[in-house]
Amino acid sequence: DVKVTQSSRYLVKRTGEKVFLECVQDMDHENMFWYRQDPGLGLRLIYFSYDVKMKEKGDIPEGYSVSREKKERFSLILESASTNQTSMYLCASSLNSGFTYEQYFGPGTRLTVT
Amino acid sequence: AQSVTQPDIHITVSEGASLELRCNYSYGATPYLFWYVQSPGQGLQLLLKYFSGDTLVQGIKGFEAEFKRSQSSFNLRKPSVHWSDAAEYFCAVGLTGNQFYFGTGTSLTVIP
């Protein structure tokens, strides 16, 4: 079974702090994704990566950056956290073979910025 | 505009009753279609998927979904709902180039 893990289930940070969210997958998937989930808005893509050191902006990249130094690990960075970044953050991974395969999700990190 | 629509924000059903959750999409070609379920405080779990072939697909937990090209729909069904099915359900569309779009979700409440 694919396993996607996220470093924290709950996180509380102060405004202006630099925040790192870590995601690790164990199935050698090429693609990894970061979403944020807010009530009534569904899942919105922040960034995705299709290979080590490669990244693409999603729909809402402002205020975020990402890092993928190893195939299994994809980090989301909030350079200076703000209260409007309080949200649930979901990481996902999938195969990449020219088709769009299903994504496998981690349990999520609920981030609160005060 | 391209979109995935789940018209029902919230649905309440009695335990043992049948369930149908609606999903419509507006993309030119037939996309890959998925249903996910999210229990409170958890990540998303894949229920079923449609890539091609038989338009009625079976998934886990007794769910099924039917792809109807003429209606651009992929509705999720279950003949008899259990209290443990209370969760949020997301329809998703996958296009070429790893583009993946989610609906805004339908929250299911199951009453005894």
Side-chain angles (χ1 to χ4, degrees), chain A residues 2-6 23-24 29 33-35 37 43 89-94 102-108, chain B residues 36-38 42-46 92 100 102:
Chain A
V2 176
K3 190 160 187 182
V4 180
T5 57
Q6 295 183 228
C23 175
V24 177
H29 283 171
F33 306 82
W34 275 107
Y35 295 90
Q37 182 181 18
L43 278 73
Y89 290 88
L90 294 167
C91 175
S93 72
S94 74
E102 62 268 32
Q103 297 186 6
Y104 294 87
F105 283 83
Chain B
Y36 286 85
V37 61
Q38 185 181 33
Q42 304 296 317
L44 276 68
Q45 180 184 19
L46 181 69
F100 215 88
F102 288 88

PDB file of all heavy atoms in Angstrom, chain A residues 2-6 23-24 29 33-35 37 43 89-94 102-108, chain B residues 36-38 42-46 92 100 102:
ATOM      1  N   VAL A   2       0.394   2.239  -0.724  1.00  0.00           N
ATOM      2  CA  VAL A   2       1.078   3.523  -0.719  1.00  0.00           C
ATOM      3  C   VAL A   2       0.921   4.178   0.632  1.00  0.00           C
ATOM      4  O   VAL A   2      -0.156   4.156   1.221  1.00  0.00           O
ATOM      5  CB  VAL A   2       0.473   4.454  -1.794  1.00  0.00           C
ATOM      6  CG1 VAL A   2       1.121   5.826  -1.725  1.00  0.00           C
ATOM      7  CG2 VAL A   2       0.637   3.851  -3.162  1.00  0.00           C
ATOM      8  N   LYS A   3       2.008   4.720   1.116  1.00  0.00           N
ATOM      9  CA  LYS A   3       1.900   5.458   2.354  1.00  0.00           C
ATOM     10  C   LYS A   3       2.486   6.842   2.156  1.00  0.00           C
ATOM     11  O   LYS A   3       3.625   6.996   1.696  1.00  0.00           O
ATOM     12  CB  LYS A   3       2.628   4.746   3.482  1.00  0.00           C
ATOM     13  CG  LYS A   3       2.340   5.346   4.842  1.00  0.00           C
ATOM     14  CD  LYS A   3       2.650   4.380   5.949  1.00  0.00           C
ATOM     15  CE  LYS A   3       2.191   4.957   7.286  1.00  0.00           C
ATOM     16  NZ  LYS A   3       2.523   4.074   8.396  1.00  0.00           N
ATOM     17  N   VAL A   4       1.670   7.830   2.507  1.00  0.00           N
ATOM     18  CA  VAL A   4       2.112   9.218   2.473  1.00  0.00           C
ATOM     19  C   VAL A   4       2.013   9.736   3.897  1.00  0.00           C
ATOM     20  O   VAL A   4       0.938   9.688   4.498  1.00  0.00           O
ATOM     21  CB  VAL A   4       1.239  10.065   1.527  1.00  0.00           C
ATOM     22  CG1 VAL A   4       1.732  11.508   1.512  1.00  0.00           C
ATOM     23  CG2 VAL A   4       1.252   9.481   0.116  1.00  0.00           C
ATOM     24  N   THR A   5       3.122  10.218   4.425  1.00  0.00           N
ATOM     25  CA  THR A   5       3.111  10.717   5.793  1.00  0.00           C
ATOM     26  C   THR A   5       3.444  12.199   5.807  1.00  0.00           C
ATOM     27  O   THR A   5       4.187  12.697   4.949  1.00  0.00           O
ATOM     28  CB  THR A   5       4.126   9.951   6.667  1.00  0.00           C
ATOM     29  OG1 THR A   5       5.429  10.058   6.069  1.00  0.00           O
ATOM     30  CG2 THR A   5       3.766   8.489   6.770  1.00  0.00           C
ATOM     31  N   GLN A   6       2.891  12.881   6.774  1.00  0.00           N
ATOM     32  CA  GLN A   6       3.151  14.306   6.954  1.00  0.00           C
ATOM     33  C   GLN A   6       3.706  14.505   8.357  1.00  0.00           C
ATOM     34  O   GLN A   6       3.278  13.827   9.299  1.00  0.00           O
ATOM     35  CB  GLN A   6       1.875  15.115   6.719  1.00  0.00           C
ATOM     36  CG  GLN A   6       1.394  15.012   5.275  1.00  0.00           C
ATOM     37  CD  GLN A   6       0.167  15.863   4.975  1.00  0.00           C
ATOM     38  OE1 GLN A   6      -0.791  15.397   4.392  1.00  0.00           O
ATOM     39  NE2 GLN A   6       0.209  17.118   5.357  1.00  0.00           N
ATOM     40  N   CYS A  23       6.539  16.234   3.845  1.00  0.00           N
ATOM     41  CA  CYS A  23       5.743  15.130   3.329  1.00  0.00           C
ATOM     42  C   CYS A  23       6.688  14.069   2.771  1.00  0.00           C
ATOM     43  O   CYS A  23       7.623  14.407   2.030  1.00  0.00           O
ATOM     44  CB  CYS A  23       4.811  15.630   2.234  1.00  0.00           C
ATOM     45  SG  CYS A  23       3.854  14.348   1.406  1.00  0.00           S
ATOM     46  N   VAL A  24       6.411  12.814   3.111  1.00  0.00           N
ATOM     47  CA  VAL A  24       7.238  11.711   2.618  1.00  0.00           C
ATOM     48  C   VAL A  24       6.326  10.620   2.073  1.00  0.00           C
ATOM     49  O   VAL A  24       5.336  10.263   2.703  1.00  0.00           O
ATOM     50  CB  VAL A  24       8.112  11.136   3.752  1.00  0.00           C
ATOM     51  CG1 VAL A  24       8.923   9.943   3.247  1.00  0.00           C
ATOM     52  CG2 VAL A  24       9.041  12.198   4.307  1.00  0.00           C
ATOM     53  N   HIS A  29       6.880   7.351  -6.147  1.00  0.00           N
ATOM     54  CA  HIS A  29       6.076   8.150  -7.075  1.00  0.00           C
ATOM     55  C   HIS A  29       6.864   9.347  -7.571  1.00  0.00           C
ATOM     56  O   HIS A  29       7.583  10.003  -6.803  1.00  0.00           O
ATOM     57  CB  HIS A  29       4.804   8.637  -6.377  1.00  0.00           C
ATOM     58  CG  HIS A  29       3.762   7.581  -6.252  1.00  0.00           C
ATOM     59  ND1 HIS A  29       2.618   7.766  -5.502  1.00  0.00           N
ATOM     60  CD2 HIS A  29       3.681   6.336  -6.770  1.00  0.00           C
ATOM     61  CE1 HIS A  29       1.870   6.676  -5.584  1.00  0.00           C
ATOM     62  NE2 HIS A  29       2.492   5.794  -6.345  1.00  0.00           N
ATOM     63  N   PHE A  33       2.339  16.584  -4.551  1.00  0.00           N
ATOM     64  CA  PHE A  33       1.455  17.760  -4.594  1.00  0.00           C
ATOM     65  C   PHE A  33       1.249  18.315  -3.191  1.00  0.00           C
ATOM     66  O   PHE A  33       1.222  17.563  -2.215  1.00  0.00           O
ATOM     67  CB  PHE A  33       0.065  17.365  -5.132  1.00  0.00           C
ATOM     68  CG  PHE A  33       0.089  16.649  -6.458  1.00  0.00           C
ATOM     69  CD1 PHE A  33       0.351  15.291  -6.528  1.00  0.00           C
ATOM     70  CD2 PHE A  33      -0.188  17.336  -7.617  1.00  0.00           C
ATOM     71  CE1 PHE A  33       0.355  14.625  -7.744  1.00  0.00           C
ATOM     72  CE2 PHE A  33      -0.183  16.679  -8.851  1.00  0.00           C
ATOM     73  CZ  PHE A  33       0.086  15.327  -8.911  1.00  0.00           C
ATOM     74  N   TRP A  34       1.049  19.615  -3.123  1.00  0.00           N
ATOM     75  CA  TRP A  34       0.583  20.257  -1.898  1.00  0.00           C
ATOM     76  C   TRP A  34      -0.709  21.003  -2.188  1.00  0.00           C
ATOM     77  O   TRP A  34      -0.784  21.795  -3.137  1.00  0.00           O
ATOM     78  CB  TRP A  34       1.610  21.248  -1.348  1.00  0.00           C
ATOM     79  CG  TRP A  34       2.650  20.620  -0.488  1.00  0.00           C
ATOM     80  CD1 TRP A  34       3.966  20.401  -0.793  1.00  0.00           C
ATOM     81  CD2 TRP A  34       2.478  20.133   0.849  1.00  0.00           C
ATOM     82  NE1 TRP A  34       4.610  19.802   0.257  1.00  0.00           N
ATOM     83  CE2 TRP A  34       3.723  19.629   1.286  1.00  0.00           C
ATOM     84  CE3 TRP A  34       1.395  20.076   1.729  1.00  0.00           C
ATOM     85  CZ2 TRP A  34       3.910  19.079   2.552  1.00  0.00           C
ATOM     86  CZ3 TRP A  34       1.583  19.531   2.982  1.00  0.00           C
ATOM     87  CH2 TRP A  34       2.831  19.041   3.382  1.00  0.00           C
ATOM     88  N   TYR A  35      -1.719  20.715  -1.353  1.00  0.00           N
ATOM     89  CA  TYR A  35      -3.009  21.387  -1.434  1.00  0.00           C
ATOM     90  C   TYR A  35      -3.304  22.065  -0.103  1.00  0.00           C
ATOM     91  O   TYR A  35      -2.844  21.631   0.946  1.00  0.00           O
ATOM     92  CB  TYR A  35      -4.138  20.374  -1.674  1.00  0.00           C
ATOM     93  CG  TYR A  35      -4.117  19.647  -2.978  1.00  0.00           C
ATOM     94  CD1 TYR A  35      -3.444  18.435  -3.121  1.00  0.00           C
ATOM     95  CD2 TYR A  35      -4.809  20.148  -4.073  1.00  0.00           C
ATOM     96  CE1 TYR A  35      -3.454  17.748  -4.321  1.00  0.00           C
ATOM     97  CE2 TYR A  35      -4.827  19.462  -5.289  1.00  0.00           C
ATOM     98  CZ  TYR A  35      -4.155  18.265  -5.397  1.00  0.00           C
ATOM     99  OH  TYR A  35      -4.172  17.581  -6.593  1.00  0.00           O
ATOM    100  N   GLN A  37      -6.895  23.050   2.051  1.00  0.00           N
ATOM    101  CA  GLN A  37      -8.312  22.746   2.061  1.00  0.00           C
ATOM    102  C   GLN A  37      -9.017  23.680   3.023  1.00  0.00           C
ATOM    103  O   GLN A  37      -8.673  23.738   4.208  1.00  0.00           O
ATOM    104  CB  GLN A  37      -8.549  21.289   2.486  1.00  0.00           C
ATOM    105  CG  GLN A  37     -10.016  20.899   2.480  1.00  0.00           C
ATOM    106  CD  GLN A  37     -10.237  19.474   2.926  1.00  0.00           C
ATOM    107  OE1 GLN A  37      -9.379  18.853   3.546  1.00  0.00           O
ATOM    108  NE2 GLN A  37     -11.389  18.926   2.601  1.00  0.00           N
ATOM    109  N   LEU A  43     -10.380  21.547  -2.361  1.00  0.00           N
ATOM    110  CA  LEU A  43      -8.923  21.475  -2.361  1.00  0.00           C
ATOM    111  C   LEU A  43      -8.379  22.397  -3.445  1.00  0.00           C
ATOM    112  O   LEU A  43      -8.831  22.352  -4.589  1.00  0.00           O
ATOM    113  CB  LEU A  43      -8.454  20.047  -2.644  1.00  0.00           C
ATOM    114  CG  LEU A  43      -8.434  19.082  -1.471  1.00  0.00           C
ATOM    115  CD1 LEU A  43      -9.834  18.680  -1.071  1.00  0.00           C
ATOM    116  CD2 LEU A  43      -7.597  17.858  -1.821  1.00  0.00           C
ATOM    117  N   TYR A  89      -3.590  21.489   5.414  1.00  0.00           N
ATOM    118  CA  TYR A  89      -2.674  21.271   4.291  1.00  0.00           C
ATOM    119  C   TYR A  89      -2.549  19.777   4.028  1.00  0.00           C
ATOM    120  O   TYR A  89      -2.252  18.993   4.930  1.00  0.00           O
ATOM    121  CB  TYR A  89      -1.313  21.885   4.593  1.00  0.00           C
ATOM    122  CG  TYR A  89      -1.365  23.390   4.587  1.00  0.00           C
ATOM    123  CD1 TYR A  89      -1.694  24.098   5.736  1.00  0.00           C
ATOM    124  CD2 TYR A  89      -1.126  24.104   3.415  1.00  0.00           C
ATOM    125  CE1 TYR A  89      -1.785  25.474   5.721  1.00  0.00           C
ATOM    126  CE2 TYR A  89      -1.203  25.489   3.395  1.00  0.00           C
ATOM    127  CZ  TYR A  89      -1.547  26.173   4.552  1.00  0.00           C
ATOM    128  OH  TYR A  89      -1.631  27.537   4.530  1.00  0.00           O
ATOM    129  N   LEU A  90      -2.772  19.419   2.787  1.00  0.00           N
ATOM    130  CA  LEU A  90      -2.742  18.018   2.379  1.00  0.00           C
ATOM    131  C   LEU A  90      -1.657  17.795   1.344  1.00  0.00           C
ATOM    132  O   LEU A  90      -1.547  18.543   0.378  1.00  0.00           O
ATOM    133  CB  LEU A  90      -4.090  17.603   1.786  1.00  0.00           C
ATOM    134  CG  LEU A  90      -5.271  17.591   2.750  1.00  0.00           C
ATOM    135  CD1 LEU A  90      -6.573  17.481   1.992  1.00  0.00           C
ATOM    136  CD2 LEU A  90      -5.144  16.440   3.732  1.00  0.00           C
ATOM    137  N   CYS A  91      -0.888  16.749   1.562  1.00  0.00           N
ATOM    138  CA  CYS A  91       0.131  16.331   0.612  1.00  0.00           C
ATOM    139  C   CYS A  91      -0.385  15.104  -0.123  1.00  0.00           C
ATOM    140  O   CYS A  91      -1.125  14.287   0.443  1.00  0.00           O
ATOM    141  CB  CYS A  91       1.421  16.010   1.353  1.00  0.00           C
ATOM    142  SG  CYS A  91       2.742  15.349   0.326  1.00  0.00           S
ATOM    143  N   ALA A  92      -0.001  14.956  -1.386  1.00  0.00           N
ATOM    144  CA  ALA A  92      -0.401  13.796  -2.168  1.00  0.00           C
ATOM    145  C   ALA A  92       0.729  13.392  -3.102  1.00  0.00           C
ATOM    146  O   ALA A  92       1.625  14.194  -3.405  1.00  0.00           O
ATOM    147  CB  ALA A  92      -1.669  14.083  -2.971  1.00  0.00           C
ATOM    148  N   SER A  93       0.675  12.143  -3.566  1.00  0.00           N
ATOM    149  CA  SER A  93       1.646  11.683  -4.549  1.00  0.00           C
ATOM    150  C   SER A  93       0.947  10.811  -5.581  1.00  0.00           C
ATOM    151  O   SER A  93      -0.136  10.280  -5.339  1.00  0.00           O
ATOM    152  CB  SER A  93       2.781  10.904  -3.877  1.00  0.00           C
ATOM    153  OG  SER A  93       2.332   9.637  -3.421  1.00  0.00           O
ATOM    154  N   SER A  94       1.577  10.687  -6.744  1.00  0.00           N
ATOM    155  CA  SER A  94       1.021   9.834  -7.793  1.00  0.00           C
ATOM    156  C   SER A  94       2.126   9.422  -8.755  1.00  0.00           C
ATOM    157  O   SER A  94       3.200  10.030  -8.799  1.00  0.00           O
ATOM    158  CB  SER A  94      -0.091  10.567  -8.563  1.00  0.00           C
ATOM    159  OG  SER A  94       0.447  11.551  -9.422  1.00  0.00           O
ATOM    160  N   GLU A 102      -4.390   8.181 -10.125  1.00  0.00           N
ATOM    161  CA  GLU A 102      -4.981   8.641  -8.875  1.00  0.00           C
ATOM    162  C   GLU A 102      -3.906   9.141  -7.933  1.00  0.00           C
ATOM    163  O   GLU A 102      -2.774   8.692  -7.960  1.00  0.00           O
ATOM    164  CB  GLU A 102      -5.790   7.535  -8.199  1.00  0.00           C
ATOM    165  CG  GLU A 102      -4.991   6.316  -7.800  1.00  0.00           C
ATOM    166  CD  GLU A 102      -4.991   5.262  -8.888  1.00  0.00           C
ATOM    167  OE1 GLU A 102      -5.034   5.621 -10.085  1.00  0.00           O
ATOM    168  OE2 GLU A 102      -4.930   4.074  -8.539  1.00  0.00           O
ATOM    169  N   GLN A 103      -4.303  10.096  -7.105  1.00  0.00           N
ATOM    170  CA  GLN A 103      -3.396  10.636  -6.106  1.00  0.00           C
ATOM    171  C   GLN A 103      -3.663   9.965  -4.767  1.00  0.00           C
ATOM    172  O   GLN A 103      -4.793   9.648  -4.421  1.00  0.00           O
ATOM    173  CB  GLN A 103      -3.589  12.147  -5.985  1.00  0.00           C
ATOM    174  CG  GLN A 103      -3.253  12.871  -7.288  1.00  0.00           C
ATOM    175  CD  GLN A 103      -3.299  14.373  -7.158  1.00  0.00           C
ATOM    176  OE1 GLN A 103      -3.471  14.918  -6.074  1.00  0.00           O
ATOM    177  NE2 GLN A 103      -3.127  15.054  -8.276  1.00  0.00           N
ATOM    178  N   TYR A 104      -2.588   9.778  -4.030  1.00  0.00           N
ATOM    179  CA  TYR A 104      -2.668   9.197  -2.695  1.00  0.00           C
ATOM    180  C   TYR A 104      -2.324  10.289  -1.691  1.00  0.00           C
ATOM    181  O   TYR A 104      -1.324  10.983  -1.845  1.00  0.00           O
ATOM    182  CB  TYR A 104      -1.695   8.020  -2.564  1.00  0.00           C
ATOM    183  CG  TYR A 104      -2.070   6.861  -3.447  1.00  0.00           C
ATOM    184  CD1 TYR A 104      -1.628   6.801  -4.760  1.00  0.00           C
ATOM    185  CD2 TYR A 104      -2.886   5.837  -2.968  1.00  0.00           C
ATOM    186  CE1 TYR A 104      -1.979   5.737  -5.583  1.00  0.00           C
ATOM    187  CE2 TYR A 104      -3.246   4.765  -3.778  1.00  0.00           C
ATOM    188  CZ  TYR A 104      -2.788   4.728  -5.086  1.00  0.00           C
ATOM    189  OH  TYR A 104      -3.145   3.684  -5.897  1.00  0.00           O
ATOM    190  N   PHE A 105      -3.142  10.384  -0.659  1.00  0.00           N
ATOM    191  CA  PHE A 105      -3.033  11.514   0.255  1.00  0.00           C
ATOM    192  C   PHE A 105      -2.477  11.132   1.618  1.00  0.00           C
ATOM    193  O   PHE A 105      -2.703  10.027   2.121  1.00  0.00           O
ATOM    194  CB  PHE A 105      -4.419  12.140   0.464  1.00  0.00           C
ATOM    195  CG  PHE A 105      -4.863  12.987  -0.686  1.00  0.00           C
ATOM    196  CD1 PHE A 105      -5.447  12.403  -1.797  1.00  0.00           C
ATOM    197  CD2 PHE A 105      -4.684  14.353  -0.665  1.00  0.00           C
ATOM    198  CE1 PHE A 105      -5.836  13.177  -2.881  1.00  0.00           C
ATOM    199  CE2 PHE A 105      -5.071  15.138  -1.741  1.00  0.00           C
ATOM    200  CZ  PHE A 105      -5.652  14.536  -2.849  1.00  0.00           C
ATOM    201  N   GLY A 106      -1.790  12.084   2.209  1.00  0.00           N
ATOM    202  CA  GLY A 106      -1.400  11.987   3.599  1.00  0.00           C
ATOM    203  C   GLY A 106      -2.556  12.390   4.501  1.00  0.00           C
ATOM    204  O   GLY A 106      -3.611  12.809   4.023  1.00  0.00           O
ATOM    205  N   PRO A 107      -2.366  12.296   5.815  1.00  0.00           N
ATOM    206  CA  PRO A 107      -3.446  12.577   6.766  1.00  0.00           C
ATOM    207  C   PRO A 107      -3.745  14.059   6.954  1.00  0.00           C
ATOM    208  O   PRO A 107      -4.766  14.411   7.540  1.00  0.00           O
ATOM    209  CB  PRO A 107      -2.944  11.964   8.072  1.00  0.00           C
ATOM    210  CG  PRO A 107      -1.463  12.002   7.944  1.00  0.00           C
ATOM    211  CD  PRO A 107      -1.164  11.785   6.495  1.00  0.00           C
ATOM    212  N   GLY A 108      -2.868  14.909   6.459  1.00  0.00           N
ATOM    213  CA  GLY A 108      -3.104  16.341   6.578  1.00  0.00           C
ATOM    214  C   GLY A 108      -2.424  16.957   7.786  1.00  0.00           C
ATOM    215  O   GLY A 108      -2.153  16.279   8.791  1.00  0.00           O
TER     216      GLY A 108
ATOM    217  N   TYR B  36     -13.344  10.387  -3.946  1.00  0.00           N
ATOM    218  CA  TYR B  36     -12.598  10.236  -2.720  1.00  0.00           C
ATOM    219  C   TYR B  36     -13.527  10.470  -1.527  1.00  0.00           C
ATOM    220  O   TYR B  36     -14.505  11.216  -1.620  1.00  0.00           O
ATOM    221  CB  TYR B  36     -11.467  11.284  -2.637  1.00  0.00           C
ATOM    222  CG  TYR B  36     -10.285  11.034  -3.526  1.00  0.00           C
ATOM    223  CD1 TYR B  36     -10.282  11.448  -4.853  1.00  0.00           C
ATOM    224  CD2 TYR B  36      -9.152  10.400  -3.028  1.00  0.00           C
ATOM    225  CE1 TYR B  36      -9.176  11.226  -5.666  1.00  0.00           C
ATOM    226  CE2 TYR B  36      -8.035  10.180  -3.831  1.00  0.00           C
ATOM    227  CZ  TYR B  36      -8.069  10.600  -5.144  1.00  0.00           C
ATOM    228  OH  TYR B  36      -6.966  10.382  -5.937  1.00  0.00           O
ATOM    229  N   VAL B  37     -13.152   9.887  -0.384  1.00  0.00           N
ATOM    230  CA  VAL B  37     -13.870  10.127   0.853  1.00  0.00           C
ATOM    231  C   VAL B  37     -12.891  10.646   1.899  1.00  0.00           C
ATOM    232  O   VAL B  37     -11.731  10.227   1.939  1.00  0.00           O
ATOM    233  CB  VAL B  37     -14.572   8.847   1.357  1.00  0.00           C
ATOM    234  CG1 VAL B  37     -13.576   7.727   1.642  1.00  0.00           C
ATOM    235  CG2 VAL B  37     -15.416   9.135   2.590  1.00  0.00           C
ATOM    236  N   GLN B  38     -13.367  11.584   2.705  1.00  0.00           N
ATOM    237  CA  GLN B  38     -12.536  12.147   3.770  1.00  0.00           C
ATOM    238  C   GLN B  38     -13.302  12.091   5.085  1.00  0.00           C
ATOM    239  O   GLN B  38     -14.305  12.776   5.263  1.00  0.00           O
ATOM    240  CB  GLN B  38     -12.159  13.595   3.449  1.00  0.00           C
ATOM    241  CG  GLN B  38     -11.205  14.210   4.460  1.00  0.00           C
ATOM    242  CD  GLN B  38     -10.874  15.656   4.136  1.00  0.00           C
ATOM    243  OE1 GLN B  38     -11.707  16.393   3.611  1.00  0.00           O
ATOM    244  NE2 GLN B  38      -9.661  16.073   4.445  1.00  0.00           N
ATOM    245  N   GLN B  42      -9.072  13.659   8.693  1.00  0.00           N
ATOM    246  CA  GLN B  42      -8.206  12.725   7.953  1.00  0.00           C
ATOM    247  C   GLN B  42      -7.905  13.224   6.547  1.00  0.00           C
ATOM    248  O   GLN B  42      -8.509  14.182   6.068  1.00  0.00           O
ATOM    249  CB  GLN B  42      -8.894  11.353   7.853  1.00  0.00           C
ATOM    250  CG  GLN B  42      -9.271  10.749   9.195  1.00  0.00           C
ATOM    251  CD  GLN B  42      -8.054  10.456  10.033  1.00  0.00           C
ATOM    252  OE1 GLN B  42      -7.036   9.945   9.542  1.00  0.00           O
ATOM    253  NE2 GLN B  42      -8.121  10.774  11.312  1.00  0.00           N
ATOM    254  N   GLY B  43      -6.988  12.520   5.892  1.00  0.00           N
ATOM    255  CA  GLY B  43      -6.725  12.797   4.493  1.00  0.00           C
ATOM    256  C   GLY B  43      -7.790  12.154   3.615  1.00  0.00           C
ATOM    257  O   GLY B  43      -8.774  11.597   4.109  1.00  0.00           O
ATOM    258  N   LEU B  44      -7.605  12.227   2.311  1.00  0.00           N
ATOM    259  CA  LEU B  44      -8.568  11.678   1.376  1.00  0.00           C
ATOM    260  C   LEU B  44      -8.210  10.241   1.011  1.00  0.00           C
ATOM    261  O   LEU B  44      -7.042   9.929   0.779  1.00  0.00           O
ATOM    262  CB  LEU B  44      -8.601  12.522   0.086  1.00  0.00           C
ATOM    263  CG  LEU B  44      -9.484  13.758   0.096  1.00  0.00           C
ATOM    264  CD1 LEU B  44      -8.948  14.817   1.036  1.00  0.00           C
ATOM    265  CD2 LEU B  44      -9.621  14.321  -1.317  1.00  0.00           C
ATOM    266  N   GLN B  45      -9.242   9.411   0.936  1.00  0.00           N
ATOM    267  CA  GLN B  45      -9.051   8.014   0.554  1.00  0.00           C
ATOM    268  C   GLN B  45      -9.796   7.768  -0.747  1.00  0.00           C
ATOM    269  O   GLN B  45     -10.959   8.154  -0.897  1.00  0.00           O
ATOM    270  CB  GLN B  45      -9.596   7.085   1.647  1.00  0.00           C
ATOM    271  CG  GLN B  45      -9.438   5.602   1.341  1.00  0.00           C
ATOM    272  CD  GLN B  45     -10.071   4.720   2.384  1.00  0.00           C
ATOM    273  OE1 GLN B  45     -10.926   5.141   3.170  1.00  0.00           O
ATOM    274  NE2 GLN B  45      -9.664   3.464   2.405  1.00  0.00           N
ATOM    275  N   LEU B  46      -9.149   7.099  -1.688  1.00  0.00           N
ATOM    276  CA  LEU B  46      -9.762   6.811  -2.974  1.00  0.00           C
ATOM    277  C   LEU B  46     -10.849   5.757  -2.813  1.00  0.00           C
ATOM    278  O   LEU B  46     -10.596   4.671  -2.274  1.00  0.00           O
ATOM    279  CB  LEU B  46      -8.703   6.316  -3.957  1.00  0.00           C
ATOM    280  CG  LEU B  46      -9.194   5.996  -5.363  1.00  0.00           C
ATOM    281  CD1 LEU B  46      -9.609   7.270  -6.090  1.00  0.00           C
ATOM    282  CD2 LEU B  46      -8.106   5.259  -6.154  1.00  0.00           C
ATOM    283  N   ALA B  92     -13.393  14.070  -8.372  1.00  0.00           N
ATOM    284  CA  ALA B  92     -12.195  14.679  -8.967  1.00  0.00           C
ATOM    285  C   ALA B  92     -12.061  14.255 -10.421  1.00  0.00           C
ATOM    286  O   ALA B  92     -12.509  13.173 -10.816  1.00  0.00           O
ATOM    287  CB  ALA B  92     -10.945  14.286  -8.184  1.00  0.00           C
ATOM    288  N   PHE B 100      -5.259  17.903 -12.198  1.00  0.00           N
ATOM    289  CA  PHE B 100      -6.203  17.208 -11.333  1.00  0.00           C
ATOM    290  C   PHE B 100      -7.079  18.267 -10.694  1.00  0.00           C
ATOM    291  O   PHE B 100      -6.574  19.229 -10.122  1.00  0.00           O
ATOM    292  CB  PHE B 100      -5.408  16.465 -10.249  1.00  0.00           C
ATOM    293  CG  PHE B 100      -5.994  15.153  -9.843  1.00  0.00           C
ATOM    294  CD1 PHE B 100      -5.649  14.000 -10.528  1.00  0.00           C
ATOM    295  CD2 PHE B 100      -6.850  15.060  -8.769  1.00  0.00           C
ATOM    296  CE1 PHE B 100      -6.155  12.775 -10.147  1.00  0.00           C
ATOM    297  CE2 PHE B 100      -7.370  13.833  -8.380  1.00  0.00           C
ATOM    298  CZ  PHE B 100      -7.018  12.681  -9.060  1.00  0.00           C
ATOM    299  N   PHE B 102     -10.591  19.075  -8.242  1.00  0.00           N
ATOM    300  CA  PHE B 102     -11.544  18.555  -7.271  1.00  0.00           C
ATOM    301  C   PHE B 102     -12.808  19.400  -7.250  1.00  0.00           C
ATOM    302  O   PHE B 102     -12.766  20.615  -7.428  1.00  0.00           O
ATOM    303  CB  PHE B 102     -10.936  18.572  -5.869  1.00  0.00           C
ATOM    304  CG  PHE B 102      -9.879  17.536  -5.656  1.00  0.00           C
ATOM    305  CD1 PHE B 102      -8.560  17.801  -5.972  1.00  0.00           C
ATOM    306  CD2 PHE B 102     -10.201  16.293  -5.140  1.00  0.00           C
ATOM    307  CE1 PHE B 102      -7.582  16.851  -5.784  1.00  0.00           C
ATOM    308  CE2 PHE B 102      -9.221  15.329  -4.950  1.00  0.00           C
ATOM    309  CZ  PHE B 102      -7.917  15.615  -5.272  1.00  0.00           C
TER     310      PHE B 102
END
